[in-house]
Amino acid sequence: MSIISKLFGSGGQETKVFLPLVEEINALEADIEKLSNEALQAKTADLRARVKAATKEDSAPEDLETVLDEILPEAFALVREASKRTLGQRHFDVQLIGGIVMHKGNGAEMRTGEGKTLVATLPAFLNALRGDGVHVVTVNDYLSRRDAVWMGQIYNALGLSVGVINHDQSFLYDAAHINAAEKNVDAGDGDAKNLDSERDELGSFKVVHEFLRPCTRKEAYAADITYGTNNEFGFDYLRDNIEYNPQNLRQRGYNYAIVDEVDSILIDEARTPLIISAPFNQSERLYEKFASIAVGMQENDHYTLDEKLHAISLTEAGIDYAEKKLGVENIYTEKSMKYVHHLESAVKAKALYLRDRNYVVKDNQVIIVDEFTGRMQPGRRWSEGLHQAIEAKEGVPIEQESRTFASITFQNYFRLYKKLAGMTGTALTSKEEFFKVYGLDIFAIPTNKTPQRLDHNDFIFQTEHGKFLATAKRIKELNATGRPVLVGTVSIEKNELLSDYLKNEGIKHELLNAKNHEKEGEIIAAAGRKGAVTIATNMAGRGVDIKLGGIQATPEMRDEVEAMGGLFVIGTERHEARRIDNQLRGRSGRQGDKGETQFFVSLEDTLMRVFASDTVKKLMGRMGLAEDEPIQNGMITRSLESAQTKIEGFNFDARKRILEFDDVLNVQRAAVYNRRRKILTGSTEEIFAEVNEVVAGVVPSDDINFVDDGSNNTPPPDFQKIIQDKRTALGDERFGSVLRQAFLQIIDTFWVEHLEVMDYMRSSVNLRAYGQRDPLVEYRKEGLRLFKEMQAAVDDELLKAIPNLGSTIVVETPKNLTEVHENAALVGGAANPSGDVKNSAASAAKNSGVPEVGRNELCPCGSGKKYKKCHGA
């Protein structure tokens, strides 16, 4: 039996098929080691040339994949050698297997500490040889910078360029900057001994900015490999599709993406549409009015709460109460229907969205806290008036409502890529969803060393108070021995509550939550030190490994902590998804380290209260236990995990249903964006050809009035003659430019209105279920009809505009565009989110050199109406 084969237990059976490739890569190692640094880059150039020579414009995608498969052993061997020379890290054989799995468009489940970040360099390098860009997707800006700098050393050694997309700035990895940084450190600024350790883990990486050179977003996307967050990639897609200047397009294609923490991005955030919107209107101070009404409403009397569905329902008494407060007889009349929406939003804000759990109030603003990561999401907003309702509840300034100009879900954004891959420590529990939605198979990658972590059965308590008393007591016992402890909580509120219990016990500890996330790297870096006690929300569950003894520990310090049993992880509540619990457990026992994990749960926890069986509750009640005395029962632990499985299934069904509805809009979005891109980037002749198709193929609607004589019976003008006359008078280039801008604005205007109509229609079709009709079928049918009407209206509007087009056209698009990241109502972003995004649709008019039009002047479209009554309405 080979050494490689010994690595594989029962968990690696599926990946054994890749062992021959690993053997090929290993066989090349001795020869690759002999190459000079220059020869490594020459090898990269040779591989690029082979890929280019074997693929032509008319080549099928499978032809390209065949070529990449053929050069895989040599490419992986080059990456391994470059890593050895730059980072001092040699890819393990199991890491090579992870790279093969991802290259083939699959998901790799790898345990914490197995080096997923390093694994991604293998398929990223191989697929970057195509020359059309590879996107590596991270969960936050910090990790995208960290990974680009850390792994950029490998790519740089092989002659590839690296870009970084961050919320406020874009960067290019710059070797010259790195050399300068190292010289500065070596010059004696006191940090020389820390540079290698910081590069090794990059827990706080104080010199990361010196490794990166600011650039435009377009330059970052032009790099061979681009790192960035899922939000930034998705929003850039939307920005490009509301652009009016082809020179300002950012992205250059969707060829291959590697998604880090793939379960978090593709599943946990799958219901979160990315939305670009702009302020729309004020709401007569209705939010404050309804917030005051909601204060006096009582659960069960005025409304009922369904925690499983995260929903509220108003009772008759609640409706009567609101009507009396408003002084109206019936809020369900057409005139008062908006009151119903505001009332429901206010009650949701009161009953379902809790301060220091779902959001925090900071600097007089309501800031969302991501339930999966525990991190604050500044700039993101809940949609449909919910955020305003919470602002009214908290008494902070209320921002305007907004109108959607572009949107897409992560599910449909990532399905744009020709090939998609992912990696995470926890994906197998959602294997079915990954395959059905994204076509991703999930492979469990064997560990490099045999795991030694002990996962204990849960301790179950009757009350939350008893649970926290026992948790503090257990932490005190562990701390007395010097053993490091990491405690996970589900919210900021519980995080701070447990902190109070520890203070009462006199236990020194660090607190990590969204309120002090700036210290995250520093706190996590120290969490494995002897005597460390760290209480963290879910933000400690991903991204950075906790090393025994600390990030800069000596072998003696590490061995001392190992002898104590390693890091002890305590979870204080079960999460709805098993994956989140497993992520917390995964902070302990990295790379064969010792470690222990255990969950302390109570019958008052949300999951237990809502989903635990009555049998469990009765069993606990009959035992007569003290408040802080637990039971450790396998049956109850299995009951909890069974509840989690049911919730995961329920959430999968909900995401699947949302996707089915969004797929209807996605087909329409693709058609509109493809047409829009063709017009935006097409030559002048292509613009004329597109307009000629409209002229030839559209019979004007009866209500089109081409001549301002009050008659609807005037024959349509000879468009071909009009177009030819204008081409002669203005010149092809100028008139083509005017046509382009007019066409784009008309498309955008009608698309925005269509999005609004589709949103209203989506809400209304649910009522058709009462008539035994499937809402999805109705949505598809109605959506198709509305879309055809919209397409016809676009062409009609263009025909109306052509006779009156002059030498200029005003591009009127909303100012103050805002990004929204909506989760079944969840949202995100800030106006002009990137420092280099300067010419989006929001500023197209300003940058087009076109004069502004006064509100009372005639509209330049030629309708004969005042601007304020026409395109300025």
Side-chain angles (χ1 to χ4, degrees):
M1 179 184 288
S2 69
I3 295 175
I4 298 173
S5 299
K6 292 179 182 178
L7 294 171
F8 293 84
S10 58
Q13 294 297 321
E14 288 181 315
T15 55
K16 283 188 176 181
V17 67
F18 302 124
L19 287 179
L21 272 176
V22 175
E23 299 278 10
E24 283 187 59
I25 298 165
N26 288 340
L28 294 169
E29 187 167 15
D31 290 335
I32 297 290
E33 282 179 332
K34 298 173 185 176
L35 298 176
S36 66
N37 291 340
E38 293 74 17
L40 286 183
Q41 295 199 6
K43 276 285 186 184
T44 299
D46 177 59
L47 292 179
R48 276 189 194 268
R50 285 164 62 183
V51 172
K52 186 176 182 179
T55 56
K56 302 175 183 177
E57 287 187 7
D58 58 349
S59 297
E62 53 268 24
D63 295 337
L64 177 57
E65 289 302 315
T66 299
V67 176
L68 294 178
D69 288 345
E70 288 173 357
I71 66 172
L72 182 150
E74 194 170 353
F76 277 30
L78 284 173
V79 175
R80 177 189 261 178
E81 182 60 27
S83 178
K84 285 156 57 178
R85 296 185 189 186
T86 56
L87 303 181
Q89 297 178 352
R90 178 184 180 275
H91 292 77
F92 302 129
D93 289 340
V94 290
Q95 290 177 313
L96 297 179
I97 288 173
I100 295 167
V101 164
M102 288 194 285
H103 161 66
K104 293 186 177 295
N106 299 303
E109 177 173 290
M110 303 180 67
R111 285 187 64 154
T112 302
E114 292 297 307
K116 294 188 291 294
T117 306
L118 188 62
V119 170
T121 59
L122 298 162
F125 171 77
L126 174 59
N127 285 271
L129 296 174
R130 297 167 45 158
D132 47 15
V134 168
H135 294 170
V136 183
V137 187
T138 65
V139 293
N140 60 53
D141 282 348
Y142 162 73
L143 290 176
S144 65
R145 291 195 306 274
R146 185 202 75 170
D147 293 355
V149 168
W150 196 3
M151 300 299 112
Q153 298 167 80
I154 297 174
Y155 303 128
N156 182 65
L158 294 171
L160 296 190
S161 57
V162 181
V164 182
I165 302 295
N166 269 188
H167 185 65
D168 298 313
Q169 180 65 65
S170 301
F171 303 95
L172 286 175
Y173 179 92
D174 193 328
H177 277 59
I178 295 170
N179 294 334
E182 289 178 336
K183 286 177 183 176
N184 290 338
V185 171
D186 291 339
D189 63 2
D191 288 335
K193 63 181 180 180
N194 294 333
L195 185 60
D196 286 339
S197 61
E198 285 184 326
R199 180 180 295 164
D200 176 46
E201 175 61 33
L202 301 180
S204 55
F205 220 120
K206 298 168 186 173
V207 294
V208 72
H209 63 282
E210 295 192 56
F211 287 62
L212 300 170
R213 174 170 58 83
C215 68
T216 65
R217 240 170 164 78
K218 189 170 187 175
E219 288 175 320
Y221 277 114
D224 294 308
I225 298 165
T226 304
Y227 284 81
T229 65
N230 49 327
N231 288 341
E232 293 310 310
F233 283 121
F235 278 127
D236 280 343
Y237 167 77
L238 295 178
R239 291 178 192 123
D240 279 356
N241 283 290
I242 56 173
E243 188 57 72
Y244 279 79
N245 186 343
Q247 299 303 314
N248 297 323
L249 294 176
R250 302 154 189 84
Q251 297 180 335
R252 59 183 178 124
Y254 309 94
N255 300 297
Y256 180 55
I258 299 171
V259 183
D260 193 9
E261 306 297 357
V262 68
D263 55 325
S264 174
I265 291 173
L266 297 190
I267 291 184
D268 293 339
E269 296 194 64
R271 289 195 288 177
T272 59
L274 296 167
I275 298 172
I276 289 184
S277 61
F280 186 43
N281 61 5
Q282 294 285 359
S283 295
E284 311 162 32
R285 303 194 66 82
L286 290 177
Y287 291 110
E288 295 96 328
K289 183 183 296 184
F290 281 93
S292 66
I293 292 173
V295 168
M297 300 180 74
Q298 303 299 319
E299 185 180 350
N300 297 325
D301 291 336
H302 299 117
Y303 63 89
T304 58
L305 186 64
D306 190 325
E307 291 187 82
K308 290 184 182 180
L309 297 178
H310 199 65
I312 59 101
S313 295
L314 298 171
T315 64
E316 287 292 333
I319 294 167
D320 290 341
Y321 177 84
E323 287 171 343
K324 287 177 183 177
K325 289 286 185 180
L326 291 167
V328 299
E329 290 186 8
N330 184 2
I331 62 173
Y332 285 91
T333 62
E334 183 177 349
K335 183 180 178 181
S336 302
M337 270 300 288
K338 63 181 178 182
Y339 290 164
V340 179
H341 171 71
H342 281 285
L343 179 59
E344 290 179 344
S345 294
V347 176
K348 281 182 184 177
K350 172 187 177 179
L352 291 173
Y353 291 83
L354 308 179
R355 184 169 178 165
D356 289 342
R357 176 184 285 266
N358 305 101
Y359 64 89
V360 296
V361 177
K362 184 178 181 182
D363 299 330
N364 223 21
Q365 290 182 314
V366 170
I367 302 176
I368 294 171
V369 174
D370 190 306
E371 65 172 307
F372 300 108
T373 66
R375 292 183 171 90
M376 282 195 296
Q377 305 292 314
R380 294 191 186 178
R381 295 181 64 78
W382 282 292
S383 66
E384 299 172 4
L386 177 60
H387 208 99
Q388 287 87 346
I390 294 172
E391 288 169 333
K393 163 189 164 184
E394 294 292 346
V396 302
I398 297 172
E399 293 191 19
Q400 283 181 293
E401 289 189 75
S402 58
R403 191 178 194 187
T404 298
F405 284 79
S407 71
I408 193 169
T409 62
F410 281 134
Q411 290 166 316
N412 277 317
Y413 172 73
F414 282 106
R415 293 198 298 183
L416 291 171
Y417 286 90
K418 297 170 186 173
K419 186 164 68 171
L420 185 64
M423 52 188 181
T424 183
T426 48
L428 282 175
T429 54
S430 300
K431 186 171 184 176
E432 179 187 3
E433 183 167 357
F434 277 118
F435 185 76
K436 287 186 175 179
V437 176
Y438 304 101
L440 287 175
D441 273 325
I442 303 298
F443 288 80
I445 309 301
T447 56
N448 184 52
K449 295 180 181 178
T450 304
Q452 296 190 62
R453 192 185 74 215
L454 300 175
D455 296 330
H456 298 290
N457 280 335
D458 298 357
F459 273 166
I460 299 103
F461 302 83
Q462 291 198 68
T463 66
E464 181 179 76
H465 175 62
K467 175 184 71 176
F468 282 138
L469 284 174
T471 302
K473 181 179 177 182
R474 180 62 174 139
I475 293 170
K476 190 172 185 178
E477 292 170 357
L478 293 165
N479 186 243
T481 68
R483 189 170 181 182
V485 181
L486 173 68
V487 189
T489 63
V490 297
S491 68
I492 299 170
E493 175 192 16
K494 303 298 183 188
N495 188 269
E496 295 174 340
L497 178 59
L498 179 57
S499 176
D500 291 337
Y501 280 85
L502 295 192
K503 287 174 184 175
N504 290 337
E505 292 287 343
I507 303 169
K508 184 180 178 182
H509 60 279
E510 289 285 351
L511 203 62
L512 176 60
N513 59 43
K515 290 182 177 179
N516 69 337
H517 65 97
E518 296 88 356
K519 298 180 180 178
E520 177 182 355
E522 181 182 337
I523 293 172
I524 290 297
R529 289 178 182 166
K530 179 181 177 182
V533 176
T534 309
I535 308 175
T537 53
N538 289 333
M539 64 197 309
R542 294 184 185 271
V544 181
D545 291 340
I546 297 174
K547 292 189 174 182
L548 297 187
I551 191 172
Q552 299 175 30
T554 63
E556 293 76 18
M557 293 165 64
R558 185 192 180 286
D559 291 343
E560 185 179 11
V561 175
E562 177 89 5
M564 297 174 186
L567 180 68
F568 198 110
V569 171
I570 296 176
T572 56
E573 198 166 326
R574 286 281 197 160
H575 197 277
E576 283 188 358
R578 289 170 292 170
R579 289 177 293 100
I580 309 299
D581 293 343
N582 291 339
Q583 282 286 349
L584 179 61
R585 289 191 193 275
R587 297 302 96 196
S588 178
R590 64 183 298 279
Q591 275 291 327
D593 288 346
K594 289 182 179 178
E596 290 181 70
T597 72
Q598 189 164 36
F599 277 84
F600 286 45
V601 300
S602 83
L603 294 181
E604 293 179 348
D605 293 347
T606 302
L607 190 72
M608 291 287 279
R609 189 180 71 252
V610 177
F611 292 98
S613 66
D614 291 337
T615 305
V616 172
K617 296 172 182 176
K618 289 175 182 176
L619 174 65
M620 292 286 288
R622 287 198 301 266
M623 296 181 71
L625 299 170
E627 194 174 24
D628 61 348
E629 188 177 353
I631 66 167
Q632 196 171 16
N633 186 297
M635 182 195 76
I636 297 179
T637 298
R638 287 191 296 274
S639 174
L640 267 174
E641 290 175 349
S642 174
Q644 288 175 308
T645 304
K646 290 176 183 176
I647 298 170
E648 288 166 1
F650 173 81
N651 288 335
F652 175 27
D653 290 341
R655 287 189 292 266
K656 184 180 176 185
R657 188 66 169 173
I658 287 172
L659 181 60
E660 288 172 339
F661 275 89
D662 191 57
D663 279 345
V664 176
L665 195 59
N666 197 50
V667 172
Q668 300 175 3
R669 180 190 299 114
V672 169
Y673 284 177
N674 287 340
R675 188 183 195 191
R676 196 185 188 285
R677 183 61 62 92
K678 183 179 177 182
I679 295 165
L680 178 65
T681 60
S683 65
T684 300
E685 286 305 319
E686 287 170 330
I687 294 297
F688 288 134
E690 183 73 17
V691 173
N692 283 335
E693 283 186 24
V694 174
V695 171
V698 175
V699 178
S701 302
D702 291 339
D703 62 351
I704 292 182
N705 181 12
F706 290 103
V707 180
D708 191 17
D709 62 358
S711 168
N712 286 329
N713 300 315
T714 305
D718 184 344
F719 287 107
Q720 296 293 357
K721 184 177 185 305
I722 291 172
I723 291 172
Q724 189 56 51
D725 289 346
K726 289 185 180 291
R727 290 177 71 168
T728 301
L730 301 176
D732 282 1
E733 287 301 317
R734 184 59 194 152
F735 185 58
S737 175
V738 170
L739 272 177
R740 188 196 313 270
Q741 297 295 316
F743 214 150
L744 290 175
Q745 185 174 8
I746 290 167
I747 288 174
D748 289 349
T749 299
F750 282 94
W751 176 241
V752 168
E753 292 176 357
H754 180 71
L755 288 175
E756 225 166 59
V757 172
M758 290 290 286
D759 191 43
Y760 287 133
M761 196 257 290
R762 182 168 175 172
S763 301
S764 66
V765 293
N766 289 322
L767 298 174
R768 303 187 188 184
Y770 294 109
Q772 305 301 310
R773 288 186 286 179
D774 185 341
L776 179 59
V777 172
E778 295 294 305
Y779 183 73
R780 284 176 180 150
K781 184 171 67 177
E782 290 291 311
L784 179 60
R785 178 183 63 79
L786 290 168
F787 185 61
K788 286 181 176 179
E789 289 178 1
M790 185 210 78
Q791 289 177 307
V794 167
D795 292 345
D796 283 356
E797 188 70 16
L798 182 66
L799 292 179
K800 288 165 63 177
I802 284 174
N804 303 293
L805 289 177
S807 61
T808 62
I809 184 163
V810 176
V811 179
E812 270 299 319
T813 47
K815 308 298 188 291
N816 303 320
L817 285 177
T818 302
E819 301 163 9
V820 178
H821 188 188
E822 171 185 328
N823 184 3
L826 230 204
V827 201
N832 195 21
S834 174
D836 53 26
V837 182
K838 299 186 186 297
N839 292 309
S840 64
S843 56
K846 179 180 176 182
N847 292 293
S848 64
V850 176
E852 295 286 344
V853 179
R855 287 177 51 76
N856 290 310
E857 294 178 27
L858 290 178
C859 186
C861 78
S863 65
K865 299 177 182 178
K866 288 185 178 180
Y867 178 65
K868 66 183 181 182
K869 296 288 188 180
C870 191
H871 280 79

